[in-house]
Amino acid sequence: SAWSDIWLNPGESLPLRPRFVLTDGSHQPAANVVYQVVEPRVAAVDSQGTVKALAAGVTRITMEADGLKAEAR
């Protein structure tokens, strides 16, 4: 799985836009993504993929679509 770091201060938010990178190098937006946050006291993520920082700390956000997973922390 691939991962990326996201840096937010408490109260800030950021939309995640996961996409597939195809073998020809083109990008395709991922559809029907399921988001999960590991440490819900640090951040929340809604069904549309918008992450909101709730408190100082580190967590991981897992995104899954079409059987593929990626993480952001």
Side-chain angles (χ1 to χ4, degrees):
S1 74
W3 58 270
S4 296
D5 285 339
I6 299 170
W7 300 92
L8 298 172
N9 292 314
E12 293 180 335
S13 61
L14 178 76
L16 299 176
R17 299 290 179 244
R19 62 189 185 275
F20 296 111
V21 179
L22 306 177
T23 56
D24 66 2
S26 64
H27 295 203
Q28 175 182 332
N32 302 315
V33 181
V34 176
Y35 299 92
Q36 290 184 321
V37 68
V38 173
E39 189 60 62
R41 68 175 183 78
V42 174
V45 62
D46 66 20
S47 63
Q48 300 301 308
T50 299
V51 177
K52 183 172 185 178
L54 302 175
V58 177
T59 190
R60 288 189 330 270
I61 297 156
T62 302
M63 299 159 276
E64 185 170 356
D66 294 332
L68 300 172
K69 279 188 176 182
E71 288 187 350
R73 73 176 174 152

